[in-house]
Amino acid sequence: MSTEHDGPPAPGGRHPVPDAAAYLAGWWTIDRTVLDIRTDTQGTFRGTAHFHPEDPDGGTTLLHVEEGHLTWNGTTTPATRTLRLHPHPDGTATITFTDGRPFHDLNLHSGHWTTHHPCAADLYQGEFTVVSEGEWHLTWRVAGPAKDQLLRSVYRRTGRRAG
């Protein structure tokens, strides 16, 4: 599939999104850098994200499945992640891990959202920025006794969900 192009981003680089689930549904490419701040080591993740209905018979929950390859210290290995996006009638959503544990809320109405997630003694601070209909950015700053990392991801649309 070819990437959809849709003109310049909104002023300030933000593209308002009235419905997070409707916006995210479909296929995206992912280009991610991973920086370990303590060791000044950098890696990359390249892959795809697919947001699709968990229940094809009419449920509203979307599975967010990422698949690709992580390159770290000269070694490339397959990497995957799956989350669940639970939409709300107002266009916001709650993100959970596959086992049902809460991760964070998501509100893209302004095209920008910050959130956080405590994980043991570490704190994940996330920033979502929608720059156009076909691109959004996600930054996670992870800090604590176990980690000191910066993850920067660019998602680009490759196709919408059919239907």
Side-chain angles (χ1 to χ4, degrees), residues 6-134:
D6 67 336
R14 297 179 181 171
H15 177 81
V17 172
D19 185 329
Y23 173 77
L24 293 169
W27 286 93
W28 302 82
T29 62
I30 309 166
D31 289 303
R32 177 176 298 139
T33 59
V34 182
L35 173 64
D36 184 314
I37 295 168
R38 289 185 181 142
T39 64
D40 197 32
T41 305
Q42 185 166 309
T44 59
F45 172 86
R46 302 283 183 261
T48 60
H50 185 205
F51 291 82
H52 62 278
E54 180 172 31
D55 177 7
D57 295 327
T60 60
T61 299
L62 297 181
L63 284 180
H64 167 187
V65 180
E66 292 188 2
E67 297 177 313
H69 290 88
L70 174 68
T71 301
W72 191 263
N73 287 329
T75 302
T76 300
T77 59
T80 63
R81 170 173 83 164
T82 302
L83 300 169
R84 285 190 171 95
L85 185 145
H86 306 273
H88 301 296
D90 66 357
T92 64
T94 300
I95 311 301
T96 64
F97 296 101
T98 55
D99 64 7
R101 289 177 299 127
F103 188 18
H104 63 83
D105 292 327
L106 184 61
N107 180 342
L108 298 176
H109 290 163
S110 72
H112 184 256
W113 182 248
T114 58
T115 190
H116 68 278
H117 171 74
C119 183
D122 296 327
L123 179 63
Y124 286 67
Q125 295 177 294
E127 180 178 16
F128 293 76
T129 304
V130 180
V131 296
S132 71
E133 178 61 29

